Amino acid sequence: MLRAPLPRTAVALRLIAGGLLLGSLVLTGCGTPPELRQPPGSRLPSPSPTTPTSIVPTTPVAPSRTVEPTRTPGFGEATAVACQGRPSGDQVVALLRRASSLIPGGIQVTVPAPGPLCAGDWQYTVVQVANREPLQVVSKGPATSLTLVTAGTDVCSIPVRTEAPAGIRTAACEAPPALPGGYTTPPPVPGA
């Protein structure tokens, strides 16, 4: 008697079932790997009787946080704000006298309020020189060791435009220097 050939799906199912059976036999025959087996002749220690101990609840320890290095309070870079004496107007004038010939020794100068403006570690200062146009000064660094970047009647130089924080660029390149009395343009003439 001839048997009809099995459909392909039946053959596939038999092969899969046989593979699963063979795989399970192989896996069950493996047992514990040699490195985890107890050496022959060794015994597991038997538990010794112990006295009951009380369980003391422990206080959970908060996870430690990474401590950021402390920075000296500085100024933001987006806008120039009053430096609040760090540096003072006198320190900027001393820098200007030391690093340039724009203010000779005997000339009287003042730094009108609000004084130096700071953004990041840069400063912008307007210096009133007697009988002259105001000088603009751009400096950088800590108050104790200022570095002169540029000074004059127009300080919107390449280093200021490319390296200075936005607040200093705005003060030096977009805002005219303040004149006596806080005016940025000559004061109005009375009766005109």
Side-chain angles (χ1 to χ4, degrees):
M1 171 178 245
L2 282 176
R3 292 172 101 186
L6 291 174
R8 285 187 176 184
T9 55
V11 172
L13 287 176
R14 284 187 180 177
L15 287 174
I16 291 173
L20 289 174
L21 179 62
L22 181 62
S24 65
L25 288 174
V26 168
L27 290 177
T28 57
C30 289
T32 307
E35 62 271 6
L36 296 178
R37 292 185 192 151
Q38 191 77 13
S42 67
R43 303 168 117 194
L44 292 175
S46 60
S48 60
T50 58
T51 58
T53 58
S54 60
I55 298 175
V56 178
T58 60
T59 307
V61 177
S64 64
R65 297 188 321 178
T66 305
V67 177
E68 294 288 326
T70 57
R71 293 178 47 197
T72 54
F75 300 95
E77 294 191 355
T79 57
V81 297
C83 294
Q84 302 169 349
R86 303 180 332 247
S88 68
D90 291 340
Q91 287 174 304
V92 173
V93 170
L95 167 69
L96 195 54
R97 288 187 195 271
R98 186 175 61 247
S100 76
S101 62
L102 291 173
I103 303 177
I107 303 275
Q108 182 182 353
V109 296
T110 58
V111 176
L117 299 177
C118 289
D121 66 346
W122 287 61
Q123 305 83 28
Y124 170 80
T125 311
V126 175
V127 176
Q128 295 292 330
V129 182
N131 301 320
R132 289 191 184 170
E133 287 185 73
L135 285 176
Q136 300 174 66
V137 181
V138 176
S139 55
K140 67 179 178 177
T144 55
S145 61
L146 294 174
T147 303
L148 181 64
V149 176
T150 187
T153 56
D154 181 11
V155 293
C156 190
S157 63
I158 291 174
V160 171
R161 288 188 307 231
T162 60
E163 299 171 24
I168 298 299
R169 280 194 312 268
T170 300
C173 297
E174 296 175 20
L179 298 172
Y183 294 102
T184 55
T185 59
V189 177

